[in-house]
Structures are given as C-alpha cells and as structure tokens.
Amino acid sequence: MNRIYLIGFMGCGKSAVGRRLSFLLKLPFYDMDKEIVRQTGKTIPEIFEQHGEKYFRDLETQFLQNFKNDYCIISTGGGATMRKENQKIMRNTGLVMFLDAPFREIWRRIHRDPNRPIVRQSTREEIEALHKARYRGYKQTAHITIRTEFRTLRQITQYAAFQVNRLKSERFDLN
C-alpha cells in the first residue's frame, strides 16, 4: 500500500493539500479530475453535458483501477468515494485521508466556480443535502479524518505529512 488518497467534498482542499503534501513528502501528485480531463480531452462540464454523471463516475473508477504509479498522492473527485468499488480499491491500495471541512466554508469556495457542473445546476440547499449524503461514505472510506476548520493550509498539510510519516513504520509501506 503505497498511495495516499485525499478524499472529501468538492472544495474541501484536496488539490491544494495534495500539491503541498507532494512537495513535503517528495512524491508525485495526481489530481484525478485533471487526469480524466487530460485522458479524455474534455472538461468536466463537457463530460457531464455530453455523457452524464454516471459516465463520469465510470471514468473515476477506471482511473482507480488502471492507474500505474504506486508511490504517489492522488486527490479524488468529490463523488469518487460514493461507489463501494472505489472505496475498496482506495482502502486496499493506500492510505485514505478525509479532509473534513464544514459546509459553510465549502460553499464559500465553490458557489461561483464555473467548472463544477453539479454546483451550476443546483441550489445551495441541494448542494448541502449532497454534502450530508456523501459525508458517511467519506467517513467509512477514510483511514484518517483531518478536520480542516480553523486550520491553515500549511497546518493541514503538515498534519497529513505527520500522519503519513507516523504510519510508515506500521501498516503502510510508503517508502
């Protein structure tokens, strides 16, 4: 088990933490959404508009199944954890860290982002309901939950690095 997966709702900081954690741990970083865009040649909104959400979720599963790099950090899409198959792949191939941010902070970050198709098509109440519905899946999948409220990006990243280093000698082979 050599990968580090960052999971959580859209806007919780997975990509930002992943980039910084990559630097600290000297491991390559992959953003699942950006890799899917690169592989398909389409933006996330284009994929949703042309093929629908199920197709996009299938692409996320294929990414997890076929990804070759063992020693890396991967920030997942916000909905990737909702499939049991994805949960199993992540838990069996790496350390899963849930970045747990309060909804009010997430909403502040995402509500005007044109690259989030679900946000563009939904009300705040609908997004909050989605957050609540996904929360349990994040908790079930995670080996470690990192509360992000009242912490800086630097503090979150340093805590994640501390947890990885602490676990290196135990169950996880992250050398």
Side-chain angles (χ1 to χ4, degrees):
M1 290 186 270
N2 304 306
R3 296 181 187 159
I4 300 165
Y5 294 98
L6 300 175
I7 66 169
F9 201 69
M10 60 183 128
C12 73
K14 298 179 299 287
S15 296
V17 170
R19 283 189 298 274
R20 286 160 179 81
L21 193 58
S22 168
F23 179 79
L24 269 179
L25 298 177
K26 302 195 181 358
L27 290 171
F29 168 68
Y30 299 93
D31 181 304
M32 181 185 283
D33 286 349
K34 287 185 178 164
E35 291 299 311
I36 289 172
V37 166
R38 186 182 59 75
Q39 291 170 2
T40 63
K42 297 178 182 179
T43 66
I44 304 297
E46 288 172 339
I47 294 169
F48 269 71
E49 288 167 16
Q50 294 171 15
H51 304 284
E53 183 176 357
K54 183 190 179 307
Y55 178 81
F56 178 73
R57 300 302 172 202
D58 291 342
L59 292 174
E60 290 178 320
T61 301
Q62 289 170 20
F63 175 86
L64 291 172
Q65 290 171 331
N66 301 326
F67 194 71
K68 300 297 181 214
N69 192 336
D70 275 340
Y71 297 95
C72 65
I73 299 163
I74 298 172
S75 70
T76 66
T81 314
M82 298 308 99
R83 284 192 175 177
K84 295 288 184 196
E85 181 179 5
N86 295 351
Q87 292 175 4
K88 186 176 180 181
I89 292 168
M90 288 187 282
R91 284 189 63 87
N92 289 337
T93 61
L95 173 65
V96 183
M97 296 181 154
F98 168 34
L99 300 184
D100 185 2
F103 180 76
R104 69 182 174 283
E105 182 61 24
I106 288 171
W107 181 253
R108 186 184 63 75
R109 295 175 189 167
I110 67 170
H111 77 281
R112 288 194 177 113
D113 187 342
N115 292 313
R116 299 187 189 272
I118 293 174
V119 175
R120 291 189 339 202
Q121 302 165 359
S122 308
T123 65
R124 178 192 167 118
E125 291 73 25
E126 290 169 331
I127 298 298
E128 190 166 13
L130 182 63
H131 177 263
K132 286 179 182 169
R134 289 181 175 178
Y135 190 84
R136 185 175 184 170
Y138 298 139
K139 292 292 278 183
Q140 288 174 338
T141 306
H143 294 105
I144 295 173
T145 297
I146 301 174
R147 301 263 316 146
T148 64
E149 190 171 22
F150 306 120
R151 290 186 174 158
T152 65
L153 196 50
R154 182 178 183 169
Q155 289 170 324
I156 295 163
T157 305
Q158 287 177 335
Y159 182 74
F162 166 78
Q163 291 295 338
V164 169
N165 289 327
R166 180 181 71 82
L167 293 170
K168 264 186 186 178
S169 62
E170 295 177 16
R171 177 176 167 212
F172 298 96
D173 176 21
L174 295 166
N175 290 327

